[in-house]
Amino acid sequence: MRILKVISLLLDYPTETLVNGRDELEQAIIESREISPKQRGALFELLELICANDLMDGQEHYGALFGRGRSLSLLLFEHVHGESRDRGQAMVDMMAQYEEAGFAIGVKELPDYIPLYLEFLSTREDIEAREGLADVAHLLALLAARLDERESGYASCFRALLQISGAEPHQAVAELRAQVAAEPRDDSPRSPGQDLGRGSGGLYAGRTTGPLQLDAQRTGQSPRRKRGAVALGGFSARRAGRSAGHGGG
């Protein structure tokens, strides 16, 4: 599903490559029929915001938004497990899921980094990609609500993902609005170890340095995930709903 690769790139650290690939990204958004015209328009606005402004300012804004505290962490398991030992096992299970599918990631990449997970889903059959998003729908809604609270255009990515998962974005986010409004804002600095992600430069170093290659895959023809197999460490949307507040600040 090509739109998942687009959203993956939009949610990653902004780079010159992303800016230079603006036309290709715009065309992919136009051609996407998995999301409504309203969601396509919101993604256009975010792409315009990223590409029209000074790149260094955009990078600084990105780091301030996603690199402080845990509430907007782009690491899925940080919202579910925090720093508990369960997080390590969940990462191992998720790596096994990638390996079974023939999806190769770098030795220093964290498998639960949302842009990486979306890239993985973009290589799967549509039904499996939707199931993979449905598994984390509550977290997607929570991040959208928190980004709305900060009036951030990045909320559009999570609303689009909710729609692809089969949820109604407005309703899913509205159900969490009161909870999010009552949360204390967390802008605490994160330790260097917490910022590691896609490569040696850290989670926010950016992973796209060459052409965007929206249709390129890290894997060839790969087997479908087995029904009932481990997905994202075995948590479901309902389970995430009970634990998302933990460590989410």
Side-chain angles (χ1 to χ4, degrees):
M1 194 181 297
R2 206 168 185 234
I3 190 62
L4 293 182
K5 183 69 175 287
V6 172
I7 297 173
S8 168
L9 292 166
L10 288 174
L11 278 176
D12 204 3
Y13 186 80
T15 63
E16 187 174 345
T17 300
L18 178 70
V19 174
N20 291 340
R22 176 178 179 175
D23 290 346
E24 186 179 358
L25 290 167
E26 284 185 347
Q27 189 59 37
I29 294 171
I30 289 171
E31 293 173 356
S32 173
R33 291 298 173 267
E34 294 86 1
I35 54 177
S36 67
K38 180 179 179 179
Q39 302 304 330
R40 292 199 294 271
L43 292 180
F44 271 126
E45 290 180 11
L46 176 60
L47 181 60
E48 169 70 17
L49 184 67
I50 294 171
C51 295
N53 291 310
D54 180 78
L55 180 59
M56 291 186 66
D57 288 345
Q59 292 170 340
E60 183 178 354
H61 170 74
Y62 182 96
L65 188 65
F66 295 114
R68 290 182 174 273
R70 287 182 178 171
S71 65
L72 291 175
S73 173
L74 292 177
L75 298 173
L76 288 167
F77 293 140
E78 190 159 0
H79 296 280
V80 179
H81 301 299
E83 296 301 317
S84 75
R85 292 182 180 179
D86 291 341
R87 185 179 179 189
Q89 185 58 53
M91 301 273 264
V92 171
D93 292 341
M94 195 170 189
M95 281 290 297
Q97 181 181 335
Y98 287 168
E99 290 172 4
E100 182 183 1
F103 184 75
I105 73 172
V107 67
K108 293 187 177 181
E109 293 182 301
L110 294 182
D112 63 333
Y113 181 50
I114 291 175
L116 176 60
Y117 181 55
L118 295 177
E119 184 180 346
F120 166 68
L121 292 181
S122 76
T123 70
R124 314 303 292 160
E125 296 177 22
D126 285 3
I127 188 171
E128 184 177 348
R130 293 179 192 276
E131 290 172 354
L133 292 175
D135 284 343
V136 295
H138 184 85
L139 294 183
L140 298 177
L142 188 62
L143 287 166
R146 287 173 174 167
L147 287 163
D148 276 348
E149 185 75 8
R150 300 196 186 199
E151 300 181 342
S152 171
Y154 281 100
S156 62
C157 293
F158 294 97
R159 289 177 181 275
L161 292 172
L162 282 167
Q163 188 169 76
I164 296 168
S165 79
E168 203 293 307
H170 179 76
Q171 180 180 346
V173 175
E175 289 173 354
L176 294 169
R177 192 161 288 129
Q179 172 190 326
V180 168
E183 293 175 346
R185 178 161 170 156
D186 182 9
D187 287 321
S188 57
R190 295 161 63 85
S191 69
Q194 289 175 308
D195 281 346
L196 292 178
R198 293 298 304 246
S200 59
L203 181 59
Y204 308 110
R207 60 200 165 99
T208 304
T209 55
L212 289 180
Q213 295 181 314
L214 291 180
D215 296 314
Q217 298 184 3
R218 299 187 185 209
T219 177
Q221 189 67 29
S222 52
R224 266 186 60 81
R225 187 180 70 187
K226 296 175 184 176
R227 295 280 181 176
V230 170
L232 295 177
F235 72 88
S236 67
R238 274 194 293 270
R239 179 177 167 194
R242 291 196 299 270
S243 54
H246 147 150

